[in-house]
Amino acid sequence: MTAPTERNARCSVARSLEVLGEKWTLLVVREALWGITRFRDFRERLGVAPDILAARLDTLVRGGVLERHPYREAGQRQRDEYVLTEAGQQLKTVLAAFVAWGDAHRPSEYGPASVYVERATQEPVRLAFLRADGMELDSQDVMSVPGPGALAAAG
């Protein structure tokens, strides 16, 4: 039998959750994608306790999602702002998937809080599964299969 730690080490979802799986983390990423970079602004917009926010920011920095950049306002001590890395920017598709799922299965009476659009045209966009030839597939026509890093099935 394979130890759960080995199975999790091989699993992309489990490894991603090591960085992104704690409460508040994806909301911090959401705010960063909206341009928030400073601790006080994250705190003000999210209403999260300072110790929890500091821990989430540290995890995101260690996980390569954010980078610390020092800044100093006139008359103040040096502080850090938190800027998305390329890996952090790529989480936009993850958040877009959460938005699509939430709007479909957990709608609010207010309507969507965010809508994804093409930057150049402002036309709405959506996530989709595409075959290699570009044909769009319904999610029910897509399945996950073991990849090269998966454990062999016990038999």
Side-chain angles (χ1 to χ4, degrees):
M1 179 171 225
T2 306
T5 54
E6 181 181 355
R7 182 171 301 281
N8 286 343
R10 291 173 174 263
C11 176
S12 302
V13 173
R15 290 191 318 273
S16 298
L17 288 175
E18 289 174 358
V19 176
L20 302 170
E22 293 182 300
K23 185 175 180 181
W24 297 105
T25 301
L26 286 176
L27 296 176
V28 170
V29 172
R30 178 196 67 192
E31 296 299 322
L33 285 165
W34 285 348
I36 300 303
T37 61
R38 297 189 175 176
F39 187 94
R40 73 171 179 265
D41 296 330
F42 284 114
R43 176 126 164 61
E44 181 179 294
R45 290 176 63 109
L46 295 172
V48 59
D51 57 329
I52 292 173
L53 177 57
R56 298 306 177 267
L57 290 167
D58 285 343
T59 298
L60 289 166
V61 168
R62 283 193 320 274
V65 173
L66 295 173
E67 291 178 337
R68 283 187 178 93
H69 291 193
Y71 74 94
R72 181 188 308 257
E73 292 179 351
Q76 299 291 317
R77 67 178 173 85
Q78 181 174 303
R79 299 175 191 268
D80 289 327
E81 63 181 351
Y82 299 88
V83 178
L84 287 163
T85 63
E86 180 62 29
Q89 287 288 341
Q90 290 178 4
L91 287 169
K92 187 180 295 183
T93 55
V94 174
L95 267 70
F98 269 88
V99 167
W101 187 89
D103 288 346
H105 302 287
R106 306 275 301 160
S108 88
E109 62 188 82
Y110 307 107
S114 61
V115 177
Y116 288 83
V117 299
E118 181 181 7
R119 188 179 306 276
T121 66
Q122 299 295 297
E123 290 293 319
V125 298
R126 62 184 173 80
L127 294 176
F129 285 104
L130 302 178
R131 286 192 333 204
D133 66 4
M135 182 179 161
E136 185 174 328
L137 299 172
D138 187 272
S139 64
Q140 294 173 344
D141 295 326
V142 176
M143 61 185 253
S144 177
V145 299
L151 293 167

